[in-house]
Amino acid sequence: MTAVAADRILSAAQAFAVAQRLAADFAPGAAERDRERALPYAEVDRLAASGLLAITVPAAHGGADLPPSAVAEVTRILATADPNIAQIPHSHFVYVNLLRLAGTAQQQERYFGRVLDGGRIANAQSERGGATVADIATTLRPVDDRFRVDGAKYYCTGSLFADLFAVLTRLDDPEGRSGLEPGEYIVYLPANTPGVRVVDDWNGIGQRTTGSGTVSFDGVLVDRDQVIPRSGAVRAPTGYGAFAQLLHAAIDTGIARGALTAATEFVRTKSRPWFEAGVANAVDDPLLIQRFGELSVAVTAAEATLSSAGWALDAAIRIDPSAANIAQSSLAVATAKILADRAANDVSAALFEVGGTRSAAADLNLHHFWRNARTHTLHDPVRWKYQHIGRALLHDAAPPLHGVI
């Protein structure tokens, strides 16, 4: 994938306006893209060219340096139209953030410049076969004055559209020849690097067009200046994990709003009233009116909590980055994630309840809202968010620093 020249966005208001215009264009084709599994190459090109992918580049490097709340709102807007497109740059923003937190000045200059020019970063993080998702088998081994990367990654969102991969590796250097500390390292490497293979094999029931393929690395050689220690982002309270989780919550909140909008339009234009309601139009059925009120409250609560969590994270990162404030903002994000998960799954399922039998027609593909919600909300279990919140209240325990991204 070749980067395209990107426009420059300088303010949150401008970013929101651009996101709204793109969402309006992306929404009409979302159901068909899902049905046909037509990967959104043209749409992702437009997203990159819009400048939205560069909004978190620091001002010192020529970017807009927008805060987490603004990135979450952009993500939410895009997800109301097509959550697949909204998820594609999730890891891009996460690994631009890792560059900010842990990259050297030279690495920042190099990679921020690529992002400003429209470059796209995809994750190569998750693996199969380990005892848990946190077990990393992909190795980074010193070879002369370079390093060799070997391994395979799965569910690599955005990999089919990427210019760069951010590869999570484990240093394999028992003799200490590299001079690096043991631990995990992120390797930034061009997608066309020899030894990199991308396979379009994602077959989930939802989020079908996110380009979440398998990426393998067979003797891939990289230079030292492509390697960044992950510890710089996750060893201290930085908000790194909370930022990633905030964007996940934004995607789910967008799905909920999109499903509610679709349900409203369907009932207004296609549903028949239940005969016992004694009304001529479905929109006048008092039980449907009640149900739509309940669904609207769920979506509005998720949106409000998302905004509140974003502002809390902004303040913790930019005003008072103390451990206590980072912890509190992480708990606010956990709360937003819970409500977003609930709203996305409940509203997308209720779409059929309020729409009636006609809404279940396969050719309409209204079930893509539910499949997207059910798939994306599996990213990390919200039952552990309740644990983090409860432990903080009862034991003054801080939530995990890095989260699951």
Side-chain angles (χ1 to χ4, degrees):
M1 186 62 59
T2 302
V4 296
D7 292 336
R8 294 295 173 92
I9 291 175
L10 300 177
S11 70
Q14 185 181 1
F16 301 158
V18 170
Q20 292 283 8
R21 288 197 297 270
L22 290 176
D25 291 343
F26 295 163
E32 182 178 356
R33 284 191 296 272
D34 174 271
R35 180 170 52 247
E36 303 298 328
R37 199 178 176 274
L39 295 173
Y41 286 105
E43 289 79 8
V44 174
D45 282 346
R46 286 190 60 192
L47 179 62
S50 75
L52 286 176
L53 300 186
I55 59 176
T56 59
V57 172
H61 291 270
D65 202 14
L66 296 188
S69 62
V71 186
E73 179 60 9
V74 165
T75 301
R76 186 199 67 81
I77 290 169
L78 293 173
T80 64
D82 188 335
N84 292 264
I85 293 174
Q87 189 182 348
I88 288 166
H90 175 280
S91 293
H92 171 93
F93 287 122
V94 169
Y95 286 107
V96 170
N97 191 34
L98 186 133
L99 279 167
R100 181 181 65 84
L101 292 170
T104 65
Q106 292 79 12
Q107 289 169 329
Q108 291 175 349
E109 182 177 3
R110 177 182 183 183
Y111 293 115
F112 287 152
R114 294 198 64 169
V115 171
L116 287 171
D117 288 337
R120 313 162 197 176
I121 303 172
N123 84 79
Q125 179 170 299
S126 293
E127 297 185 0
R128 295 174 181 167
T132 74
V133 70
D135 291 335
I136 302 301
T138 298
T139 54
L140 179 71
R141 295 188 178 97
V143 178
D144 298 325
D145 60 346
R146 306 184 77 191
F147 291 89
R148 172 177 171 150
V149 177
D150 292 279
K153 300 290 186 174
Y154 302 89
Y155 322 125
C156 300
T157 300
S159 57
L160 299 177
F161 313 101
D163 303 297
L164 291 168
F165 287 117
V167 188
L168 177 58
T169 67
R170 174 182 53 81
L171 182 64
D172 183 11
D173 183 18
E175 297 177 359
R177 290 188 292 126
S178 67
L180 298 178
E181 293 183 4
E184 295 178 346
Y185 289 80
I186 304 296
V187 177
Y188 288 76
L189 63 125
N192 61 359
T193 301
V196 176
R197 182 169 179 259
V198 183
V199 181
D200 179 13
D201 60 354
W202 169 242
N203 65 348
I205 63 170
Q207 296 298 92
R208 300 179 66 222
T209 63
T210 54
S212 301
T214 294
V215 184
S216 60
F217 306 92
D218 184 8
V220 177
L221 294 177
V222 298
D223 296 322
R224 183 177 289 262
D225 64 2
Q226 295 175 257
V227 177
I228 299 178
R230 191 168 184 256
S231 60
V234 301
R235 186 173 290 175
T238 62
Y240 175 74
F243 174 66
Q245 288 298 314
L246 183 72
L247 301 191
H248 280 311
I251 294 168
D252 296 336
T253 302
I255 293 174
R257 175 58 68 183
L260 182 59
T261 299
T264 302
E265 177 64 17
F266 191 89
V267 171
R268 283 175 173 172
T269 60
K270 294 183 175 64
S271 291
R272 294 184 297 179
W274 185 244
F275 69 94
E276 291 178 278
V279 296
N281 299 300
V283 294
D284 296 319
D285 182 336
L287 298 184
L288 272 183
I289 291 172
Q290 173 74 18
R291 189 69 177 115
F292 269 95
E294 294 168 352
L295 298 175
S296 181
V297 167
V299 175
T300 302
E303 290 172 340
T305 309
L306 178 71
S307 295
S308 178
W311 297 332
L313 189 56
D314 291 353
I317 291 174
R318 298 192 170 209
I319 299 174
D320 183 2
S322 64
N325 280 345
I326 292 292
Q328 286 302 311
S329 67
S330 295
L331 294 172
V333 171
T335 302
K337 183 70 167 62
I338 289 169
L339 291 185
D341 182 297
R342 184 184 303 166
N345 284 299
D346 289 354
V347 177
S348 61
L351 187 158
F352 302 100
E353 170 196 338
V354 297
T357 306
R358 292 181 177 184
S359 65
D363 62 312
L364 296 176
N365 198 26
L366 290 174
H367 54 295
H368 77 95
F369 290 103
W370 180 84
R371 288 186 290 101
N372 289 334
R374 184 62 283 171
T375 300
H376 184 260
T377 54
L378 295 175
H379 253 282
D380 60 299
V382 294
R383 61 183 178 272
W384 280 98
K385 306 302 179 189
Y386 287 108
Q387 285 286 314
H388 301 158
I389 294 167
R391 289 172 179 175
L393 284 172
L394 296 176
H395 301 292
D396 291 325
L401 293 177
H402 55 80
V404 177
I405 64 172

